[in-house]
Amino acid sequence: MHVSSLIARITLDRQHGLPLYRQLYGEIRKAILGGQMLPGMQLPPSREFCVALGISRQTVLNAYDQLLAEGYLRGTVGQGTFVNEDLPALVEQGKSTDLQLADSVTADNGKCISSRGRHYIDPRGLTRFHQGQVRAFRVSMPDLGLFPFEVWARLEARHYRHHKGQLGYGDPAGYLPLRELLAVNLKAARGVNCTPEQILITSGSQQALYLLATMLLDVGEQAWVEAPCYRGTTAALHAAQAQMCPVPVDAEGMDVAYAATHFPAAKLAFVTPSHQMPLGMTMSLQRRMALLDWAQQNAAWIVEDDYDSEYRFGSSPLASLQSLDTRQCVIYVGTLSKVLFPSLRLGYMVLPEKLRESLIQGKSVIDKLTAVMPQMVLTDFIAEGHFGRHIKRTRKIYAERQACLVNCIRHVLNDELECGAQDGGLDLAVYFKKNRDEERIIQAGLALGLELRGLSHYVGIPGQAGQAGQFGSHPPGLLLGFAALDIAEIERSVMLLASLFNQDPHTAHTAHAA
């Protein structure tokens, strides 16, 4: 393209917030990258450019200076300004630019991503995340209004004033005083046997699940997962290209005998024994002992995901599966985000001695270390008793809210819904008593401002023998989060939920696949 034609095609917007010289710089740069201005082509003198575009000469000089500094142009006093000859001819005239090609590839189902990377973005392996204002019945959401943020802010300010050099790089295993407190508290509350050195602080429990899936399993190796189960677990295993083996759950938790018969070669088992996610039952002692026996006999690992054991209603928290482990085959995973606030992103693992160094090194590769300031603040929050008081207070409030939800369902929706396990947690599983289309109920709920999560969300196993990836024999239903809602909101929302089952006869179709 001739330079005069190029000048004629340049448009500058004086109403735009971007300075004119940056706009001119962008137009010339785009022409060079697009092949309209080829290496060696001479640009017009700055005076000619400013007259043609009706801008000041300084604007042109500033644009030229930026392009010279970035290597797109070269200039010699008295000889003019040229497109740098050292630049390759990116594209031929009339063809798509490299940038356009990159955009089209990116948009084409992620084909520019590696085969490994595509396991992270495959829709079958994606996890959901919350957006927008909290609505009924958002799952796994604590009530942020109950958290003492003024106390947290005071402790944080104190650490910023008196950090004494502690805000540099630190131990990838985590802030030692926090690990020391966790070791004591876990022993007292959950019976976990460990030293501070066995604890690895992670950026949420999701990072822990990802580390374990990728570092303990080779591609194609088998892992037991509960059916249904937490989708963050299956997403991590899908990213690791592991073979997921769905194991049914019943009133006693994971059916270990079924798993050992059908998937004897598994190297790893992921379980939520204290409060099964999403159905809420507790694994029986017989099943726990059977699971430990299998792991010990087969040199396999057990990942105990203890995501909300602090919220057990009517009795003290149960002893952990790890407390029964005499041969160090259980990896205990916990989170602090649910009991405090989700964006805190603090979790931890209690590791068997033989895994400790390897997992710490793996953690350091991913993000060097979890942010230290939240760990220091949390240490004081626990040491000064705020953590214990917060758990005690919220446990009582959440128990009242769950009782309210259950009573409302029994009075208003008794013909439609059956409540599942009510031992604790932030959510309640409910099952349809009639043939209802789960997806229609969810979509109708959105129209009324309800955020509903179907149980079918938790029964997907990516890539299972070319099938849709669904399994499990439990009836379809919903998982209702109640912790973030006060009593009045629960009562109002249950009435809205009841209206869904009456307003549209089309919701009474064949139940959603489960």
Side-chain angles (χ1 to χ4, degrees), residues 100-316:
Q100 291 169 330
L101 287 172
D103 289 342
S104 67
V105 171
T106 302
D108 189 13
N109 298 322
K111 290 182 179 177
C112 63
I113 304 298
S114 70
S115 59
R116 182 191 305 109
R118 283 198 290 274
H119 283 79
Y120 292 70
I121 62 175
D122 188 318
R124 297 171 299 174
L126 293 181
T127 60
R128 289 188 181 181
F129 52 89
H130 299 311
Q131 298 186 77
Q133 294 287 332
V134 176
R135 300 181 291 179
F137 292 92
R138 178 170 291 181
V139 302
S140 301
M141 186 69 193
D143 188 341
L144 301 184
L146 300 177
F147 186 76
F149 283 106
E150 68 286 350
V151 173
W152 187 270
R154 175 171 55 80
L155 296 176
E156 188 174 56
R158 185 171 71 192
H159 276 288
Y160 275 122
R161 288 194 303 269
H162 308 291
H163 60 82
K164 297 180 180 179
Q166 296 182 86
L167 298 185
Y169 290 104
D171 189 341
Y175 186 53
L176 181 57
L178 175 58
R179 290 186 282 136
E180 290 172 340
L181 275 179
L182 286 176
V184 173
N185 283 12
L186 287 170
K187 176 64 176 177
R190 305 288 289 115
V192 173
N193 298 304
C194 68
T195 64
E197 290 71 28
Q198 288 177 261
I199 296 177
L200 170 58
I201 304 296
T202 59
S203 300
S205 60
Q206 187 61 42
Q207 185 183 67
L209 296 175
Y210 172 79
L211 269 169
L212 294 170
T214 53
M215 293 192 67
L216 299 184
L217 292 170
D218 285 323
V219 174
E221 286 192 318
Q222 293 183 340
W224 293 356
V225 292
E226 296 166 318
C229 73
Y230 172 52
R231 285 298 295 270
T233 299
T234 57
L237 288 167
H238 189 59
Q241 302 176 60
Q243 180 184 346
M244 283 168 271
C245 306
V247 182
V249 296
D250 56 25
E252 295 187 67
M254 175 183 273
D255 189 339
V256 178
Y258 176 96
T261 300
H262 290 79
F263 312 113
K267 302 292 185 182
L268 195 60
F270 285 83
V271 291
T272 51
S274 294
H275 189 233
Q276 203 278 332
M277 181 65 179
L279 303 184
M281 71 279 292
T282 300
M283 180 181 276
S284 68
L285 179 59
Q286 291 80 1
R287 294 276 178 88
R288 293 176 185 231
M289 298 305 293
L291 182 59
L292 288 168
D293 186 59
W294 166 81
Q296 292 166 1
Q297 290 188 22
N298 293 275
W301 299 106
I302 301 169
V303 177
E304 178 181 9
D305 185 357
D306 200 23
Y307 63 98
D308 69 353
S309 61
E310 292 86 356
Y311 293 122
R312 186 170 179 84
F313 309 144
S315 65
S316 300

Side-chain angles (χ1 to χ4, degrees), residues 376-444:
M376 295 194 298
V377 176
L378 178 58
T379 301
D380 286 356
F381 192 77
I382 295 173
E384 295 180 10
H386 306 297
F387 183 84
R389 285 190 291 272
H390 177 66
I391 295 300
K392 184 177 180 180
R393 178 188 180 212
T394 51
R395 183 188 294 130
K396 180 177 183 293
I397 292 173
Y398 294 163
E400 292 170 351
R401 292 177 179 181
Q402 188 203 62
C404 174
L405 177 59
V406 171
N407 288 332
C408 286
I409 290 173
R410 287 175 176 168
H411 281 90
V412 179
L413 282 163
N414 192 53
D415 292 338
E416 295 286 353
L417 297 177
E418 178 182 350
C419 296
Q422 299 155 43
D423 293 333
L426 307 179
D427 314 304
L428 176 70
V430 295
Y431 306 99
F432 298 151
K433 291 184 176 181
K434 302 175 183 177
N435 284 337
R436 292 289 185 179
D437 188 314
E438 194 178 278
E439 188 58 34
R440 284 181 180 270
I441 292 290
I442 292 170
Q443 293 305 316

Side-chain angles (χ1 to χ4, degrees), residues 313-362:
F313 309 144
S315 65
S316 300
L318 299 175
S320 64
L321 177 65
Q322 195 266 8
S323 68
L324 301 172
D325 179 21
T326 59
R327 302 194 183 176
Q328 294 212 10
C329 59
V330 174
I331 303 157
Y332 182 89
V333 175
T335 179
L336 296 156
S337 300
K338 282 188 173 60
V339 297
L340 300 179
F341 49 97
S343 64
L344 181 63
R345 305 315 308 144
L346 279 181
Y348 55 90
M349 289 188 281
V350 176
L351 300 169
E353 282 291 345
K354 65 176 66 175
L355 292 179
R356 187 171 63 87
E357 291 298 329
S358 297
L359 268 295
I360 291 173
Q361 178 60 31

